[in-house]
Amino acid sequence: MPHSKRNRSDGGGGGGGDGCRSIVLPRRLLLSIFIVSPFLFLLARGGVHSQISKDSEAERDFATNQTTNWRERLAVQNLKSVLTKEVTDSISISRSQLDLWSLDILGRHHASSSWKTSGLNDTEQDITSLKHTGSSADWNSIQFKSENPIGGELAATEKEADGADGNLLTDTPTKVFRRVSRFLLSHHSAMRKPRELRQEKRAMELVQQDEEALVKLENAAIERSKAVDSAVLGKYSIWRRDNENENTDIKVRFMRDQIIMARVFSVIAKSKNKLDLYQELLNRIKESQRAVGEANADSDLHHSSPDKTKAMGQVLSKARQELYDCKVITQRLRGMLQSADEQVRSLKKQSTFLSQLAAKTIPNGIHCLSMRLTIDYYLLPPEQRKFPRSENLENPNLYHYALFSDNVLAASVVVNSTIMNAMEPEKHVFHLVTDKLNFGAMNMWFLLNPPGKATIHVENVDDFKWLNSSYCPVLRQLESAAMKEYYFTSDHRSTLSAGSSNLKYRNPKYLSMLNHLRFYLPQVYPKLDKILFLDDDIVVQKDLTALWSVDLNGNVNGAVETCGESFHRFDKYLNFSNPHIAQNFDPNACGWAYGMNIFDLKAWKKKDITGIYHRWQNMNEDRVLWKLGTLPPGLLTFYKLTHPLDKSWHVLGLGYSPSIDRSEIENAAVIHYNGNMKPWLDLAMTKYRSYWTKYIKYDHPYIRGCKLTE
């Protein structure tokens, strides 16, 4: 077993080797300890020293950061009054979002759009290390370029602030903040003026837009106001209730409403056989009616009206509890409303009839005046009945007026108002024509009251022998049986219930030749070239001589047109269902007014105006073309032969319209009381009457003797 022996021999020989190794190993360990220990000592010492240095440096950084934060806050507060809100907000961003202030953030987010940065990507790590360590960095790698002079001012500002050593940036955040602040101040100052200019320009644009918007709103309001009917508004005012408190009628209307309800309940009570309640309601109705009477305002009520109102209220409350039935009451009120509506229509017809009747009558005072003057005229010797200056009657160089009237007082107002407003009264000549009944009175009045230096002449229409039924169609028609039937038959409908359907056209003035004499002016005044025709219900307020100088452009008639309203056109006056009218006239042709008309008598003769009138008058014998009157045949006769005058020459409507503007009346040369409310009648409108009465001498013995008053 050689192998086992070898092992054992080896093991035995190795006993001395094992002992040597045990001695050598501790020696090596000791040697390593002695050699490595100093290095470990030195290494540990250096680590401790490094840690101490780091701790000391952290303490210094903390102190520096505290000082820097305090200085930054102080600087921001001082710069708030100078810098814009955008810059101060950027500086005030919390450190958790921004950490230390850095130019790269300023350049990316808050710098002017005119800045450009180069090398920014290469220096981002250096700037980041600056923020984390607080040590110095090479800031010179950051350069700012500018597209304008403002950006180029940064370097000069930095050199000036940091001294002559040429260092553009220091390694402390405080100086970085100061440098940036100084640059922002200079940049803000340079940019403030352009910014202010832009703001001013924008403000001006906004103001202009506002003004344009206001103008549009005003124009729109004006257009809307034009569409508003002022007649509907009437006297409306936001203060109307306050102004009219003295004349309130609340109590009057309340009592009348009580009477209406009492009548309703009385009918119901009677139908239900509640006679006691029925009688009580009737008694209260009578008492309330006596208390109200004719009152139109609360102040007009009887002093017992509060007690009557209270008593009626108690009875109505009782009746409501016993008799109230909505359906029955509604039916009864509807019946009362229909009955009241019929009564209103009937009363309107009666009112129109009576106004037409009043317009046809002559007041007692004027009739008295005419009778007294007539008596005194015929008592005069024949030689005292003549007017002076008769040589002016046919002088075509003077201003001639034609006035046809049977009203002495009205004619006197026309003459007096014309002369008082004339610049040269001695050149004015008045041609008056009246009927046989008033001929003496008209002469006597103007003999006693001559119109100053003006010339006047009075004629009787019955003295015109050429004006007979063989020549004049109107006179021939008046002699016909049909016309006599229309005007004079006793059983003709002329009652109040018939209203005024035909009464207007049966006015006696349409039977008088004084009304139709206007179609015969050249025959009455053959030697005159022009004449001004005036109605007797007008008042002259200005000198009229300028009318003789108006160029009529070859027309015969000069008149003021009245087609401002649709109902003053031809279709209002003429029957366009008749072919003679429909084929020859325009239904929308503008109407014009009689009352003040300047006529060219030469052109009249040349165009045979009287012959045209006769032709149309003959065709209307049975009144199929127009109803009676002189305006319709005038429209036909002077069709396309009328020259329109300015409206200020002749203002109409004072005899029927209460809404004529006062300034329009006062600026008119002639005002016309056309309509039924003539100024000499009791039904005249008070607001217009003074323009007429101021030309009457109410202290004249004849006027005072006939009790004519203002």
Side-chain angles (χ1 to χ4, degrees):
M1 306 182 84
H3 181 70
S4 61
K5 287 182 179 178
R6 188 178 295 141
N7 288 343
R8 283 195 301 270
S9 64
D10 290 341
D18 292 335
C20 291
R21 285 176 190 159
S22 62
I23 295 171
V24 173
L25 187 60
R27 289 177 181 175
R28 290 178 179 176
L29 181 60
L30 290 173
L31 181 62
S32 299
I33 291 172
F34 282 113
I35 294 173
V36 176
S37 296
F39 290 100
L40 292 175
F41 176 77
L42 292 174
L43 182 61
R45 185 177 179 183
V48 173
H49 184 269
S50 176
Q51 183 66 33
I52 293 172
S53 298
K54 288 181 180 179
D55 294 339
S56 300
E57 189 175 353
E59 292 176 0
R60 288 196 301 271
D61 290 341
F62 179 78
T64 302
N65 290 338
Q66 292 292 329
T67 304
T68 301
N69 292 339
W70 175 80
R71 290 177 178 175
E72 286 176 358
R73 288 194 298 272
L74 181 61
V76 170
Q77 292 177 357
N78 293 332
L79 291 175
K80 276 185 178 180
S81 61
V82 179
L83 299 179
T84 63
K85 187 176 185 299
E86 183 182 0
V87 176
T88 55
D89 290 345
S90 300
I91 296 173
S92 301
I93 295 175
S94 64
R95 295 182 62 87
S96 62
Q97 296 176 339
L98 187 62
D99 200 5
L100 293 176
W101 181 264
S102 59
L103 286 178
D104 62 327
I105 295 176
L106 178 64
R108 285 198 301 267
H109 300 287
H110 303 289
S112 172
S113 60
S114 63
W115 293 6
K116 284 187 177 180
T117 58
S118 63
L120 183 60
N121 295 333
D122 298 335
T123 58
E124 284 182 352
Q125 288 182 343
D126 296 335
I127 295 173
T128 304
S129 63
L130 171 64
K131 292 191 290 183
H132 289 291
T133 61
S135 59
S136 62
D138 188 7
W139 287 85
N140 293 327
S141 62
I142 302 176
Q143 298 175 355
F144 293 91
K145 295 180 181 180
S146 175
E147 294 177 354
N148 53 46
I150 299 174
E153 295 175 1
L154 177 59
T157 306
E158 291 167 348
K159 287 180 180 180
E160 226 175 60
D162 295 332
D165 56 357
N167 293 328
L168 296 179
L169 296 172
T170 62
D171 57 353
T172 62
T174 303
K175 288 191 176 182
V176 172
F177 173 76
R178 290 177 180 173
R179 289 178 59 256
V180 173
S181 299
R182 284 195 295 271
F183 174 75
L184 291 175
L185 282 174
S186 62
H187 181 268
H188 179 72
S189 299
M191 293 299 293
R192 176 180 295 180
K193 189 172 182 180
R195 185 184 300 112
E196 290 177 351
L197 292 176
R198 289 195 300 271
Q199 291 175 351
E200 291 178 0
K201 183 179 179 181
R202 179 58 178 165
M204 292 298 293
E205 291 176 353
L206 292 175
V207 170
Q208 186 175 1
Q209 291 176 1
D210 290 344
E211 291 178 351
E212 293 175 355
L214 287 174
V215 170
K216 290 181 180 178
L217 289 174
E218 290 175 357
N219 292 335
I222 292 172
E223 291 300 324
R224 286 194 298 270
S225 68
K226 290 179 180 179
V228 177
D229 188 358
S230 59
V232 176
L233 295 178
K235 53 187 287 189
Y236 176 76
S237 169
I238 58 174
W239 309 110
R240 184 162 66 99
R241 185 179 296 275
D242 295 337
N243 290 336
E244 298 183 358
N245 269 344
E246 296 179 358
N247 298 319
T248 55
D249 58 349
I250 296 175
K251 295 179 181 179
V252 174
R253 288 187 286 111
F254 181 73
M255 293 187 70
R256 286 174 178 164
D257 290 343
Q258 283 185 326
I259 294 173
I260 292 173
M261 290 305 303
R263 287 175 177 170
V264 173
F265 282 123
S266 66
V267 174
I268 299 174
K270 187 175 181 180
S271 64
K272 292 187 177 183
N273 202 28
K274 295 189 176 184
L275 301 181
D276 294 339
L277 183 57
Y278 168 74
Q279 191 62 42
E280 188 176 2
L281 286 167
L282 290 182
N283 293 336
R284 296 304 179 191
I285 290 173
K286 292 179 181 179
E287 292 177 358
S288 295
Q289 286 177 336
R290 284 195 294 267
V292 173
E294 300 295 331
N296 293 318
D298 293 347
S299 57
D300 300 332
L301 289 172
H302 192 268
H303 61 83
S304 63
S305 59
D307 297 334
K308 306 299 182 184
T309 302
K310 184 177 179 180
M312 177 65 85
Q314 293 174 351
V315 175
L316 288 176
S317 178
K318 179 180 178 182
R320 189 178 297 110
Q321 293 175 359
E322 298 183 15
L323 304 173
Y324 185 78
D325 187 330
C326 183
K327 184 177 180 180
V328 175
I329 292 176
T330 302
Q331 291 175 349
R332 186 60 189 171
L333 288 174
R334 185 180 293 112
M336 293 176 66
L337 180 62
Q338 292 175 352
S339 176
D341 185 57
E342 292 176 359
Q343 291 179 8
V344 168
R345 285 199 297 267
S346 176
L347 290 173
K348 287 177 67 175
K349 288 183 179 180
Q350 293 180 19
S351 175
T352 305
F353 179 90
L354 293 174
S355 64
Q356 295 286 352
L357 185 63
K360 294 194 300 182
T361 59
I362 298 176
N364 288 334
I366 295 178
H367 183 71
C368 166
L369 178 64
S370 179
M371 293 296 101
R372 289 192 177 190
L373 289 170
T374 299
I375 293 171
D376 291 345
Y377 174 75
Y378 287 108
L379 292 176
L380 288 176
E383 61 274 11
Q384 296 182 10
R385 300 178 185 177
K386 296 181 180 181
F387 292 99
R389 295 180 289 276
S390 59
E391 66 278 4
N392 294 334
L393 296 178
E394 296 182 348
N395 186 350
N397 297 320
L398 300 179
Y399 305 112
H400 294 264
Y401 299 84
L403 176 61
F404 308 147
S405 175
D406 57 359
N407 188 325
V408 176
L409 195 62
S412 70
V413 170
V414 175
V415 174
N416 290 344
S417 63
T418 303
I419 296 302
M420 292 178 65
N421 291 285
M423 298 179 65
E424 297 176 303
E426 66 278 4
K427 294 184 179 181
H428 294 258
V429 181
F430 292 90
H431 301 268
L432 271 70
V433 180
T434 186
D435 55 15
K436 182 186 298 185
L437 182 63
N438 293 283
F439 177 74
M442 199 75 72
N443 275 280
M444 189 63 186
W445 177 264
F446 287 107
L447 287 172
L448 294 174
N449 305 280
K453 296 180 180 180
T455 302
I456 193 166
H457 180 62
V458 180
E459 296 180 272
N460 181 2
V461 68
D462 295 324
D463 293 337
F464 298 153
K465 302 303 180 182
W466 51 268
L467 197 63
N468 50 54
S469 59
S470 61
Y471 175 70
C472 179
V474 172
L475 289 176
R476 183 172 61 254
Q477 291 169 6
L478 288 175
E479 294 176 356
S480 66
M483 193 66 70
K484 290 179 180 179
E485 173 78 14
Y486 183 77
Y487 278 104
F488 304 113
T489 301
S490 59
D491 61 351
H492 195 280
R493 292 183 65 192
S494 59
T495 61
L496 290 177
S497 60
S500 60
S501 58
N502 295 310
L503 183 61
K504 176 181 179 180
Y505 303 104
R506 293 197 300 276
N507 194 313
K509 72 177 182 179
Y510 298 125
L511 298 176
S512 172
M513 276 308 301
L514 289 177
N515 200 44
H516 292 267
L517 194 61
R518 64 192 69 190
F519 293 105
Y520 300 95
L521 291 176
Q523 288 80 2
V524 180
Y525 311 109
K527 295 185 179 181
L528 300 181
D529 297 334
K530 279 190 175 183
I531 195 166
L532 184 66
F533 172 79
L534 298 176
D535 271 343
D536 63 357
D537 55 352
I538 62 103
V539 174
V540 178
Q541 300 185 128
K542 293 183 180 180
D543 182 63
L544 300 179
T545 55
L547 287 170
W548 275 262
S549 302
V550 173
D551 184 6
L552 299 181
N553 297 316
N555 293 307
V556 180
N557 176 25
V560 171
E561 293 183 334
T562 58
C563 57
E565 302 291 344
S566 60
F567 54 83
H568 282 156
R569 299 186 183 273
F570 271 42
D571 59 352
K572 165 66 178 178
Y573 305 99
L574 304 174
N575 179 18
F576 274 86
S577 63
N578 187 285
H580 295 290
I581 299 297
Q583 294 172 7
N584 293 282
F585 302 98
D586 179 8
N588 293 318
C590 189
W592 46 269
Y594 269 125
M596 187 212 73
N597 306 79
I598 184 73
F599 290 110
D600 186 340
L601 299 184
K602 286 185 176 181
W604 185 306
K605 297 174 186 177
K606 184 178 180 179
K607 298 181 183 299
D608 190 20
I609 297 300
T610 303
I612 297 173
Y613 163 70
H614 282 173
R615 181 167 66 89
W616 286 110
Q617 191 68 53
N618 286 326
M619 294 174 63
N620 193 49
E621 184 172 0
D622 53 357
R623 301 183 305 280
V624 295
L625 303 184
W626 71 87
K627 295 183 180 181
L628 295 181
T630 55
L631 182 57
L635 296 176
L636 300 179
T637 302
F638 295 101
Y639 183 62
K640 294 184 178 181
L641 295 174
T642 300
H643 175 76
L645 300 176
D646 187 271
K647 292 186 181 297
S648 62
W649 279 110
H650 187 190
V651 172
L652 300 102
L654 278 73
Y656 68 88
S657 176
S659 58
I660 303 175
D661 188 76
R662 181 175 180 179
S663 62
E664 186 179 358
I665 295 175
E666 294 178 350
N667 293 328
V670 172
I671 55 176
H672 195 171
Y673 292 84
N674 58 313
N676 291 329
M677 300 179 183
K678 302 298 183 184
W680 55 83
L681 299 175
D682 292 337
L683 49 82
M685 282 184 274
T686 307
K687 61 186 297 186
Y688 301 143
R689 200 166 186 268
S690 61
Y691 297 105
W692 187 81
T693 56
K694 67 181 180 180
Y695 293 104
I696 297 177
K697 298 178 180 179
Y698 284 97
D699 58 348
H700 192 282
Y702 281 89
I703 292 178
R704 191 171 59 249
C706 290
K707 299 180 179 180
L708 288 169
T709 59
E710 296 184 55

